[in-house]
Amino acid sequence: MTRILLLPTLTSIAAFLLYAGHCQAQAPAGVQSSLEIIDVTTGKRTVVYSEPALLEAPNWSKDGRYLLFNKKGRLYRYWLNDRVTDELPFDSTLQANNDHGFSPDGSQLAISSGDNSSHIFTAPVEGGPLRQLTHQSPSYWHGWSPNGKTLAFVGQRNGDFDIYTVSADGGPEKRLTREKGLDDGPDYSPDGQYIYFNSFRTGRMQIWRMKADGSEPEQLTDDRYANWFPHPSPTGNLVVFLSFMEDQQQEHPFGKNVQLRLLDIVSQTVRDLTPVFFGGQGTINVPSWSPDGRRLAFVSYRIP
């Protein structure tokens, strides 16, 4: 079925910053962000919070009580029951971009901080001192192994963006991918056996997975869309990802027609989770499943 959407044009959006699709998107003044929750079974969407500012990349806390998101380089919590927001108390050096999330036990945060010089830090979940893990930049976190020992990230080294891992205790990074073309968005399966990621290695951005050591890569989607940021559900049977309706090559900009889609790992089928909406960079960069795997958090946008 053909969809006709009356959405803002590029000329109405103005310029946005795109550094391999990771730095905070530069949206026009007055952009309205809606923090939404969707039921993956019924497709029911609920806007839980809206603000005339650029909000990005929600994570669902491990206890299910709040959503974590970034705004203007800082991290905020939206408390679902109380319907209030507060800022996590980090010092002024924090420049959080939209790649952040929780450790498996919920006690720590992984935070990518900085723009072109982004490094990965860990910190207590309630805020506090930042501990730097990566020594080369740019580095952008995307996944934490289920046993809590390893973080997966994308890094640019010698002009190439590839997937790496680093110990949660710090130490040398390990390169997992070496194909030409952008590899991005690594996130672990709940059993720790696989890392899901998106790759441009075939000339179109599609969803892949590989063994956690980087071996045996396999392509999981092959369609006309540009597919980004796969995140397995807590049960591991579904993978959500973001699809751009038009090919974006190796970019995933703000202000585009996008959908959330679900890949069923058992049947290897894909279905639409949402209709087409206005989003892109910042919508669902990082893991955003509810702890019970029944819902997802994401951000949609509107230009007045």
Side-chain angles (χ1 to χ4, degrees), residues 234-274:
T235 58
N237 61 319
L238 296 173
V239 177
V240 68
F241 58 95
L242 178 71
S243 291
F244 289 81
M245 298 297 97
E246 296 182 359
D247 187 17
Q248 305 298 319
Q249 294 295 300
Q250 299 184 77
E251 302 176 353
H252 70 288
F254 169 85
K256 296 291 182 178
N257 288 355
V258 297
Q259 274 185 311
L260 295 183
R261 302 166 74 205
L262 286 173
L263 167 66
D264 186 305
I265 293 301
V266 176
S267 67
Q268 294 289 293
T269 57
V270 174
R271 68 177 176 90
D272 297 345
L273 180 59
T274 67

Side-chain angles (χ1 to χ4, degrees), residues 46-183:
T46 304
V47 175
V48 296
Y49 180 68
S50 186
E51 183 179 343
L54 182 65
L55 313 181
E56 296 182 296
N59 309 113
W60 211 305
S61 67
K62 296 297 182 178
D63 61 10
R65 298 173 63 200
Y66 65 88
L67 302 176
L68 180 75
F69 62 91
N70 62 286
K71 178 180 72 170
K72 297 181 179 179
R74 312 299 295 179
L75 290 175
Y76 294 82
R77 297 176 293 192
Y78 176 76
W79 294 89
L80 293 165
N81 287 338
D82 298 331
R83 300 183 181 181
V84 297
T85 62
D86 62 2
E87 180 181 345
L88 282 171
F90 292 106
D91 66 35
S92 61
T93 62
L94 181 68
Q95 283 185 287
N97 53 54
N98 49 35
D99 297 322
H100 44 73
F102 295 92
S103 63
D105 66 3
S107 67
Q108 297 281 307
L109 291 174
I111 305 169
S112 303
S113 179
D115 286 334
N116 292 2
S117 60
S118 176
H119 283 284
I120 299 171
F121 301 81
T122 56
V125 73
E126 296 294 331
L130 297 168
R131 178 171 177 263
Q132 185 172 329
L133 288 187
T134 56
H135 300 287
Q136 298 187 62
S137 68
S139 299
Y140 305 96
W141 175 87
H142 278 277
W144 207 314
S145 66
N147 64 11
K149 295 181 178 181
T150 308
L151 282 71
F153 66 97
V154 59
Q156 186 189 40
R157 309 289 184 260
N158 300 315
D160 290 327
F161 279 92
D162 281 295
I163 293 169
Y164 296 79
T165 58
V166 66
S167 169
D169 295 324
E173 62 186 34
K174 179 182 179 181
R175 185 177 179 180
L176 298 187
T177 63
R178 297 179 181 274
E179 298 289 332
K180 289 297 181 183
L182 178 70
D183 293 326

